[in-house]
């Protein structure tokens, strides 16, 4: 028997239960992809109903992105403190509430608040599902699983956008958020029953019954139990976020941050405004949504 639950996962062949959990992580990333772009799908209808200009609409479209930034820091850190599974479930609840309340918005200000709340959940979710996917996969299966998880985002925007285009034929932009809220609620019991806490988290948090709880997670994944836990390292320097700014790393950190920031600016700017731009040319809401769908089909193929 292996002493480290992480090694049990890394060295064992990928089983059905592990792939089910990975499939749910892909689906959750797809849900995030749809939720982020739901306001873009609804943008032409929002602008038309409330008669707001592009400046006010731009604020509404950016609110969930602001929420994602804070959510990835605040709720993403919760995944390390409270566990991956509770964080995913909590983020789903936050997202469902935000999407549901968006259907009650009577003006751009209230809609912006609910989109900010939804973004908090999305940001935390993105951080947690990356950790879950990496920690429940074997060495051989991890690369494939991570690649599939990443392309879940454009797939969700593609499938969700296709559904949104059909729903928007009714003319009411609120149906996009109603669909998102219902889809989010569906995932809560699926994650609760089919995704255990990752054994790796128990090695970091070290509760009193860490070995027993790690073995229960291994059993849920249909993997053999670990005999013992590796000893806790003593005297090792404690990791800090500021480590990425140490001499020798600061240049790489700043370069990667700048590059990724510019990527996000162009990526979300183009995707968020595409439906509104197409609608301004005189096309219908479903036609405007279909343009964004094709953009994400390209993203999925590229991934």
């Amino acid at each position: 028997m292996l002493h480290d639950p992480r090694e049990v996962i890394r060295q064992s062949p990928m089983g059905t239960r592990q792939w089910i959990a990975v499939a749910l992580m892909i689906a959750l990333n797809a849900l995030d992809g749809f939720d982020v772009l739901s306001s873009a799908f609804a943008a032409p209808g929002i602008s038309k109903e409330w008669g707001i200009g592009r400046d006010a609409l731009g604020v509404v479209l950016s609110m969930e992105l602001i929420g994602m930034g804070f959510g990835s820091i605040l709720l993403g850190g919760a995944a390390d403190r409270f566990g991956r599974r509770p964080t995913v479930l909590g983020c789903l609840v936050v997202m469902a509430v935000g999407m549901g309340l968006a259907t009650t918005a009577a003006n751009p200000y209230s809609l912006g608040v609910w989109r900010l709340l939804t973004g908090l959940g999305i940001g935390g979710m993105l951080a947690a599902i990356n950790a879950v996917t990496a920690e429940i996969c074997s060495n051989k299966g991890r690369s494939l699983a991570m690649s599939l998880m990443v392309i879940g985002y454009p797939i969700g925007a593609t499938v969700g956008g296709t559904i949104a285009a059909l729903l928007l034929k009714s003319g009411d932009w609120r149906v996009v958020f109603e669909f998102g809220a219902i889809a989010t609620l569906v995932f809560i019991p699926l994650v609760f029953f089919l995704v255990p806490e990752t054994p790796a988290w128990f090695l970091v948090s070290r509760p009193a019954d860490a070995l027993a709880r790690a073995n229960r997670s291994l059993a849920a994944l249909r993997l053999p139990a670990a005999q013992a836990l590796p000893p806790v390292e003593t005297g090792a320097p404690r990791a800090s976020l500021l480590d990425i700014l140490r001499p020798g790393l600061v240049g790489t950190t700043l370069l990667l941050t700048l590059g990724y920031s510019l990527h996000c600016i162009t990526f979300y700017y183009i995707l968020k405004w595409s439906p509104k731009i197409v609608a301004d040319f005189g096309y219908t809401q479903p036609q405007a949504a279909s343009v964004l769908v094709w953009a994400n089909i390209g993203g999925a193929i590229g991934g």
Side-chain angles (χ1 to χ4, degrees):
M1 297 177 67
L2 295 169
H3 290 277
D4 191 332
R6 292 170 298 189
E7 289 303 315
V8 173
I9 293 177
R10 291 168 185 166
Q11 297 183 26
S12 300
M14 290 283 288
T16 302
R17 286 300 303 272
Q18 286 167 280
W19 282 117
I20 289 175
V22 169
L24 280 173
M25 296 303 105
I26 297 170
L28 288 177
N29 202 21
L31 179 67
D32 283 347
F34 173 77
D35 283 357
V36 168
L37 296 179
S38 57
S39 58
F41 292 125
I46 295 171
S47 180
K48 182 179 179 180
E49 178 177 327
W50 290 334
I52 60 176
R54 292 180 181 85
D55 51 351
L57 184 61
V59 173
V60 173
L61 293 177
S62 65
M63 291 309 292
E64 72 262 20
L65 301 179
I66 295 172
M68 286 172 62
F70 286 106
S72 62
I73 296 173
L74 300 176
L75 297 181
D80 291 330
R81 183 173 182 181
F82 303 109
R84 285 53 165 122
R85 183 169 174 267
T87 301
V88 170
L89 290 170
C91 288
L92 283 171
V93 172
V94 172
M95 291 165 59
V97 171
M99 293 290 281
L101 289 175
T103 65
T104 68
N107 53 63
Y109 306 104
S110 58
L111 180 59
V113 170
W114 304 136
R115 294 307 293 160
L116 178 68
L117 178 64
T118 304
L120 287 171
I122 294 172
M125 176 75 73
L126 288 171
I129 62 177
N130 274 278
V132 172
T133 305
E135 291 175 358
I136 65 171
C137 291
S138 67
N139 286 338
K140 290 184 178 180
R142 185 175 298 112
S143 294
L144 176 60
M146 293 298 294
S147 299
L148 292 174
M149 190 274 293
V150 168
I151 66 172
Y153 194 95
I155 289 175
T158 300
V159 176
T162 303
I163 296 173
L166 296 174
L167 295 174
L168 285 169
K169 290 182 178 180
S170 68
D172 189 354
W173 54 267
R174 292 175 178 82
V175 296
V176 175
F177 297 115
E178 290 175 0
F179 171 74
I182 293 171
T184 303
L185 287 172
V186 168
F187 277 104
I188 293 176
L190 293 177
V191 172
F192 184 84
F193 289 109
L194 297 176
V195 181
E197 182 57 73
T198 65
W201 182 77
F202 295 115
L203 272 67
V204 176
S205 59
R206 294 289 177 140
D209 54 348
L211 177 60
R213 296 175 68 178
N215 280 334
R216 282 199 294 269
S217 292
L218 290 172
L221 294 171
R222 303 294 189 267
L223 293 172
Q227 189 176 17
L229 297 181
V232 179
E233 294 184 19
T234 57
R238 187 174 181 178
S240 169
L241 182 62
L242 296 179
D243 288 343
I244 60 176
L245 298 177
R246 290 180 306 178
L249 284 180
V250 62
T252 303
T253 296
L254 294 177
L255 186 61
L256 288 173
T257 300
L258 175 63
Y260 191 66
S261 297
L262 293 174
H263 157 71
C264 286
I265 289 171
T266 53
F267 175 77
Y268 285 113
Y269 179 82
I270 293 172
L271 289 185
K272 285 286 188 178
W273 281 106
S274 292
K276 174 59 177 166
I277 292 171
V278 174
D280 284 348
F281 278 115
Y283 293 95
T284 64
Q285 290 187 65
Q287 289 173 319
S290 69
V291 174
L292 192 50
V293 168
W294 281 105
N296 282 281
I297 289 175
I301 294 172

